């Protein structure tokens, strides 16, 4: 409220500055979830720097006097004739062929289901939704019997071919392509004489990039961490992925005459998750936009 000698009394109302609402309960719950999420990673990183003796004689959430991270990494790659390197290359093979192929098939299939009409489309939608609801473990035994009759067990194809099927990725690309690629652009391209393959690769594919990266990350994580399928399909340690190989190392301590190498198991586990963390950090902006696509209706 201000007053002047030349005019009437003027009342000015000041709008209160917006304040962020803070919830103590939400802050506490978020902090608990953060600790719950990062504590296993911290434990893994700390104990990967310990020797076999240090693991058993020191506190689990603090470092030992002997920092042996680099020697553990060297020992993990050299142990048993460098089998860890073979397991790493096998995992990369399964990821590139399996997850990459699953992403490609999901992109093509989702785009076709979203932009083309054909008889039986509703039935296909029901089949895809039903396939998403079926857990992978329920299909493990029938898949093993089928591949056994084909003579493909104990080969990389027994891991790669089942990994090519991703019902969730197909459904995600189906819904994403429906909003990301406007039909008006496709109609204009067709009127200009462009063929469907040209439209897909030159127009639609760049628009589908966020969804493709999102599906790729999901399939990469699923294939990289796949354990049960290789367990029932593979017998030769030379074709093991990292998950199955580290499990075999861990089981050595319980076998007769086996050598306990828990320090190498923990170090190998740390090395296993590093590529996934790097992939998420590098592709973060793509998969976040892909997850948020379609959340706002115009």
């Amino acid at each position: 409220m201000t007053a002047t000698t030349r005019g009437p009394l003027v009342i000015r109302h000041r709008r209160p500055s917006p304040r962020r609402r803070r919830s103590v309960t939400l802050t506490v719950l978020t902090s608990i979830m953060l600790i719950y999420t990062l504590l296993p990673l911290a434990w893994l990183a700390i104990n990967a720097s310990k020797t076999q003796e240090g693991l058993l004689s020191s506190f689990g959430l603090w470092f030992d006097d002997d920092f042996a991270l680099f020697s553990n990494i060297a020992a993990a790659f050299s142990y048993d004739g460098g089998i860890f390197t073979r397991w790493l290359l096998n995992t990369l093979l399964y990821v590139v062929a399996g997850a990459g192929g699953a992403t490609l098939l999901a992109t093509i299939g989702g785009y076709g289901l979203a932009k083309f009409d054909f008889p039986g489309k509703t039935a296909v939608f029901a089949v895809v939704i039903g396939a998403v609801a079926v857990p992978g473990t329920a299909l493990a035994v029938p898949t093993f019997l089928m591949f056994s009759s084909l003579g493909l067990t104990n080969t990389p194809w027994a891991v790669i071919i089942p990994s090519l099927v991703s019902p969730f990725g197909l459904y995600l690309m189906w819904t994403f392509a429906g909003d990301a690629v406007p039909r008006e652009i496709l109609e204009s391209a067709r009127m200009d004489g462009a063929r469907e393959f040209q439209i897909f690769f030159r127009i639609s594919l760049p628009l589908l990039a966020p969804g493709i990266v999102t599906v790729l990350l999901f399939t990469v994580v699923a294939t990289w961490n796949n354990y049960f399928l290789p367990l029932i399909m593979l017998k030769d340690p030379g074709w093991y992925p990292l998950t199955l190989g580290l499990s075999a190392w861990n089981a050595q301590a319980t076998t007769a005459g086996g050598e306990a190498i828990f320090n190498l198991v923990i170090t190998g586990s740390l090395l296993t998750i590093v590529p996934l963390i790097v992939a998420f950090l590098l592709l973060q902006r793509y998969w976040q936009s892909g997850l948020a696509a379609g959340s706002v209706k115009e």
Side-chain angles (χ1 to χ4, degrees):
M1 181 181 298
T2 59
T4 61
T5 57
R6 297 183 179 180
L9 183 66
V10 178
I11 300 177
R12 298 178 180 176
H13 298 279
R14 295 183 178 178
R15 295 181 180 180
S17 59
R19 299 178 61 183
R20 295 182 178 179
R21 298 179 60 184
R22 296 181 179 179
S23 173
V24 178
T25 304
L26 182 59
T27 303
V28 172
L29 291 177
T30 305
S31 301
I32 293 175
M33 291 303 299
L34 180 64
I35 295 173
Y36 177 79
T37 304
L38 296 181
L39 189 61
L41 182 61
W43 181 91
L44 192 64
I46 291 172
N47 287 274
S49 66
K50 299 179 182 179
T51 61
Q52 177 69 23
E53 295 75 15
L55 284 173
L56 305 177
S57 60
S58 61
F59 180 58
L61 291 177
W62 194 246
F63 296 93
D64 191 25
D65 295 335
D66 186 8
F67 187 81
L69 175 61
F70 300 107
S71 60
N72 285 339
I73 293 176
F77 280 101
S78 61
Y79 183 78
D80 195 14
I83 191 65
F84 184 84
T85 305
R86 177 66 183 268
W87 293 340
L88 177 60
L89 295 177
N90 292 340
T91 305
L92 292 176
L93 172 65
Y94 300 148
V95 167
V96 172
T103 304
L104 177 62
L105 294 177
T107 302
I108 297 175
Y111 173 79
L113 290 170
K115 296 305 175 183
F116 296 94
D117 295 326
F118 54 89
K121 186 175 181 178
T122 304
V124 174
F125 178 78
V127 171
V128 172
I129 294 298
V132 172
V134 176
T137 53
L139 301 176
V141 174
T143 304
F144 172 78
L145 295 177
M146 180 178 65
F147 277 79
S148 178
S149 62
L150 295 174
L152 294 177
T153 55
N154 202 30
T155 65
W157 298 110
V159 180
I160 294 174
I161 295 178
S163 301
L164 295 175
V165 181
S166 177
F168 177 73
L170 176 61
Y171 175 73
L172 187 61
M173 287 305 303
W174 187 349
T175 56
F176 183 84
D179 295 330
V181 183
R183 289 187 177 271
E184 293 78 9
I185 296 180
L186 303 181
E187 302 262 342
S188 300
R190 293 188 183 108
M191 292 180 64
D192 291 338
R195 298 180 179 180
E196 294 298 334
F197 282 101
Q198 292 177 331
I199 294 173
F200 176 74
F201 287 104
R202 295 185 180 182
I203 298 176
S204 301
L205 204 59
L207 297 175
L208 295 174
I212 293 173
V213 173
T214 302
V215 174
L216 179 63
L217 285 174
F218 278 119
T219 54
V220 164
V221 172
T223 307
W224 191 277
N225 295 328
N226 196 0
Y227 173 78
F228 190 66
L229 182 63
L231 177 65
I232 65 175
M233 290 292 187
L234 303 176
K235 295 181 180 179
D236 184 4
W239 290 116
Y240 280 0
L242 286 171
T243 52
L244 201 56
L246 292 175
S247 177
W249 274 4
N250 187 57
Q252 284 187 187
T254 59
T255 57
E259 179 185 6
I261 49 172
F262 296 124
N263 60 325
L264 301 187
V265 174
I266 295 175
T267 304
S269 301
L270 180 63
L271 296 174
T272 300
I273 66 175
V274 169
L276 295 179
I277 296 176
V278 173
F280 269 88
L281 292 177
L282 294 178
L283 302 176
Q284 182 179 11
R285 61 190 184 97
Y286 293 104
W287 70 267
Q288 282 184 345
S289 60
L291 290 176
S295 60
V296 180
K297 184 177 180 180
E298 297 180 357

